[in-house]
């Protein structure tokens, strides 16, 4: 039976993903780590957030607390590193910049994942093209990647999983090249839990209906799936059938909420210390707000003790502080946040975490104007924030800021990163040195 001429115009989506991203970034500047079991830890060196292949082979799960791995680490020589966000962010930007050369339509999905639209590349062998992507990223950035290609974003994600887990594919899996019987056999070998958006609870519910593999879900009746679960999972069924339901977003949509929070490196007791942390979080949230060209009409503030210490007195409280007028001004947002903090703070508790959440976000200039707000103050705000952001972009974050946000020295409650590697690419004092 001849192929339809329209078949060549079907979508072709590629997902490019960095292998063990955080670990790969660490190894890039530490070649001696190649082949050794390495993990990267979360804030305050708490839990495992990245694992090398050698650690995965030991059966170490994602998210396990580091203190539970002490004996295993000594036994197998597992090396643990604190999260180096400046390094990972910079390497991600370089990675995405290289990928932008391979397609005019690019969606940055996460720090280490990117969708590329290859639909118009009808006369190119996409497997060879994907191998070229892998080669250039490795040569120019130094990071190992795998590429999955499919007629939908869900199948591209699945193809990437196959490319990573099965060495026979040599880092590239193009599902569009498989005959239907071969594709059926492949999907029948993969558990339904590997489908994009199918979590642990959903996997259990699907298994109860006899849906155990990706092929089972693909072949399920869409209306039944929607009745038992949701229209989102129904859409996934169609995506697994090669019907593209999820468009590629060239520009990430503006966030409807912006959150900034972090656990403390050590317990905090006083209002002043909490105020310093809230000021810092508000400053960072306001920077993100201005970066996407938005304003917030309210700010939520919260504090909490550690739920992992049940023997201590527990307290968790949050408050939403509405603003007289939507703003992106760090000064106004900080003033509102600190006022909210004073209302929820209670002495006598061991606080483990605090943060803010900007809500009721709208594009700048779209929010209603308060006639009773001083127009001159509004006129001064934008130039002041522009200068603030320009200085911090040029000289580094927190060079200039409100209160504690303008001080470079660490505080007693600052995040613990006892085994952080140098920033390498973002700090002059930490640039790698090569000697002949």
């Amino acid at each position: 039976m001849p192929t339809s001429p329209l078949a060549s115009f079907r979508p072709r989506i590629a997902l490019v993903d960095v292998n063990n991203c955080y670990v790969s970034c660490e190894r890039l500047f530490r070649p001696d780590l190649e082949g050794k079991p390495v993990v990267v830890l979360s804030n305050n060196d708490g839990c495992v957030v990245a694992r090398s292949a050698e650690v995965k082979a030991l059966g170490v799960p994602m998210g396990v607390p580091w203190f539970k791995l002490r004996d295993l680490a000594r036994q197998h020589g597992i090396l643990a590193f604190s999260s180096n966000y400046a390094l990972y962010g910079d390497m991600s930007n370089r990675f995405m910049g290289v990928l932008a050369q391979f397609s005019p339509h690019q969606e940055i999905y996460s720090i280490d994942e990117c969708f590329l639209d290859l639909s118009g590349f009808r006369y190119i062998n996409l497997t060879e093209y994907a191998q070229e992507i892998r080669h250039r990223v490795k040569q120019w950035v130094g990071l190992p990647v795998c590429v999955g290609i499919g007629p939908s974003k869900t199948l591209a994600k699945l193809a990437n999983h196959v490319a990573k887990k099965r060495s026979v594919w040599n880092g590239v899996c193009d599902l569009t090249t498989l005959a239907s019987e071969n594709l059926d056999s492949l999907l029948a070998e993969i558990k339904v839990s590997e489908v994009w958006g199918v979590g642990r609870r959903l996997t259990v519910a699907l298994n109860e209906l006899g849906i155990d593999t990706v092929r089972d879900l693909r072949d399920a009746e869409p209306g039944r799936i929607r009745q038992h679960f949701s229209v989102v999972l129904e859409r996934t069924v169609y995506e697994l059938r090669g019907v593209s339901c999820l468009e590629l977003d060239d520009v990430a949509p503006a966030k409807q909420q912006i959150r900034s929070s972090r656990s403390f490196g050590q317990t905090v007791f006083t209002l002043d210390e909490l105020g310093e942390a809230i000021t810092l979080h508000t400053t960072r949230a306001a920077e993100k707000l201005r970066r996407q060209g938005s304003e917030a009409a309210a700010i939520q503030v919260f504090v909490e003790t550690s739920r992992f210490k049940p023997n201590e007195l527990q307290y968790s409280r949050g408050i939403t502080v509405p603003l007289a007028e939507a703003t992106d001004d760090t000064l106004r947002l900080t003033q509102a946040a600190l006022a909210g903090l004073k209302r929820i703070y209670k002495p006598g508790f061991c606080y483990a975490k605090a943060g803010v959440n900007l809500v009721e976000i709208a594009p700048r200039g779209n929010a209603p104007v308060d006639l009773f707000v001083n127009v001159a103050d509004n006129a001064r705000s934008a130039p002041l924030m522009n200068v603030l952001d320009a200085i911090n972009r040029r000289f580094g974050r927190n060079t200039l800021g409100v209160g504690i946000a303008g001080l470079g020295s660490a505080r007693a409650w600052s995040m613990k990163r006892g085994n952080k590697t140098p920033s390498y690419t973002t700090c002059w004092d930490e640039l790698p040195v090569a000697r002949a």
Side-chain angles (χ1 to χ4, degrees):
M1 183 175 179
T3 303
S4 168
L6 295 178
S8 60
F9 291 95
R10 286 205 308 160
R12 293 292 186 271
I13 307 298
L15 178 68
V16 188
D17 182 20
V18 180
N19 301 341
N20 309 320
C21 180
Y22 290 180
V23 171
S24 295
C25 289
E26 297 290 351
R27 283 176 166 173
L28 181 59
F29 296 94
R30 288 279 307 275
D32 60 302
L33 298 177
E34 289 291 342
K36 296 181 180 179
V38 176
V39 298
V40 175
L41 305 177
S42 63
N43 295 341
N44 297 312
D45 295 342
C47 302
V48 173
V49 294
R51 304 160 295 164
S52 66
E54 295 79 10
V55 173
K56 293 177 182 178
L58 294 175
V60 176
M62 184 71 84
V64 62
W66 172 240
F67 74 87
K68 292 185 177 181
L69 296 177
R70 302 287 188 185
D71 293 339
L72 187 68
R74 281 192 290 268
Q75 182 181 354
H76 295 281
I78 299 176
L79 302 173
F81 293 90
S82 304
S83 294
N84 191 340
Y85 299 117
L87 174 64
Y88 309 151
D90 184 60
M91 298 310 300
S92 174
N93 292 336
R94 296 169 188 239
F95 164 60
M96 299 301 176
V98 172
L99 294 187
Q101 302 174 16
F102 287 90
S103 173
H105 302 294
Q106 174 187 27
E107 178 188 336
I108 299 175
Y109 179 66
S110 68
I111 192 172
D112 62 343
E113 293 180 277
C114 180
F115 287 105
L116 298 177
D117 188 353
L118 305 180
S119 301
F121 297 56
R122 291 186 292 132
Y123 304 108
I124 293 178
N125 183 312
L126 293 186
T127 298
E128 294 179 359
Y129 194 63
Q131 289 293 356
E132 184 180 347
I133 292 174
R134 297 185 68 227
H135 174 74
R136 188 174 302 179
V137 172
K138 182 65 175 177
Q139 185 179 47
W140 289 14
V141 185
L143 298 177
V145 303
C146 286
V147 183
I149 302 173
S152 67
K153 292 172 76 173
T154 301
L155 283 175
K157 286 276 286 185
L158 193 67
N160 187 275
H161 167 77
V162 174
K164 276 187 173 183
K165 300 298 182 181
R166 306 190 180 198
S167 58
V168 66
W169 291 91
N170 194 26
V172 174
C173 175
D174 184 358
L175 295 181
T176 66
T177 63
L178 297 182
S180 58
E181 58 270 20
N182 294 335
L183 180 60
D184 284 349
S185 298
L186 178 63
L187 298 186
E189 298 172 1
I190 305 174
K191 295 181 180 180
V192 71
S193 58
E194 299 298 340
V195 174
W196 188 23
V198 176
R200 183 167 50 187
R201 292 183 180 178
L202 191 52
T203 297
V204 173
L206 287 169
N207 292 162
E208 291 175 351
L209 294 178
I211 300 175
D212 301 312
T213 68
V214 176
R215 187 174 72 176
D216 293 337
L217 182 58
R218 182 201 64 180
D219 296 340
E221 206 285 308
R224 180 182 179 222
I225 294 297
R226 180 173 184 172
Q227 180 181 5
H228 279 85
F229 300 99
S230 67
V231 67
V232 175
L233 193 59
E234 179 191 29
R235 192 179 296 130
T236 298
V237 172
Y238 283 115
E239 285 254 323
L240 290 174
R241 295 180 179 184
V243 180
S244 182
C245 302
L246 304 174
E247 296 294 330
L248 216 65
D249 295 322
D250 292 338
V251 179
K255 296 180 179 179
Q256 299 305 303
Q257 294 188 17
I258 296 178
R259 185 182 181 92
S260 179
S261 66
R262 187 158 289 169
S263 299
F264 298 129
Q266 68 179 41
T267 304
V268 167
F269 299 92
T270 69
L271 178 61
D272 287 343
E273 289 178 307
L274 286 173
E276 290 179 345
I278 290 297
T279 298
L280 190 59
H281 290 313
T282 305
T283 298
R284 291 176 177 172
E287 289 173 352
K288 296 178 182 179
L289 186 68
R290 291 192 293 273
R291 199 176 302 139
Q292 70 174 34
S294 301
E295 296 174 323
I299 184 169
Q300 297 172 338
V301 185
F302 71 89
V303 295
E304 58 186 51
T305 54
S306 176
R307 63 182 182 277
F308 301 109
K309 297 180 180 179
N311 295 329
E312 294 182 356
L313 292 175
Q314 296 294 305
Y315 177 70
S316 178
R317 181 78 186 277
I319 189 172
T320 299
V321 182
L323 303 169
E325 185 178 34
T327 184
D328 61 5
D329 189 301
T330 299
L331 298 173
R332 296 179 187 175
L333 291 168
T334 301
Q335 184 180 29
L338 293 178
L341 175 64
K342 289 180 180 178
R343 293 175 60 183
I344 62 175
Y345 170 74
K346 284 188 177 182
F349 290 95
C350 305
Y351 292 99
K353 187 176 183 179
V356 301
N357 194 26
L358 300 182
V359 294
E360 297 184 32
I361 292 176
R364 185 183 294 120
N366 282 20
V369 176
D370 189 339
L371 298 178
F372 298 97
V373 171
N374 191 322
V375 177
D377 290 343
N378 284 342
R380 287 192 294 266
S381 174
L384 178 60
M385 292 301 106
N386 289 338
V387 171
L388 179 68
D389 292 339
I391 290 175
N392 287 329
R393 280 195 301 269
R394 181 173 181 179
F395 298 103
R397 171 184 274 183
N398 298 336
T399 299
L400 186 64
V402 180
I404 176 64
L407 300 178
S409 59
R411 317 305 286 177
W413 46 263
S414 295
M415 180 176 59
K416 288 181 180 178
R417 289 195 284 180
N419 199 18
K420 174 186 167 297
T421 52
S423 294
Y424 293 121
T425 63
T426 59
C427 179
W428 285 109
D429 295 334
E430 299 179 7
L431 291 177
V433 177
R435 294 183 175 86

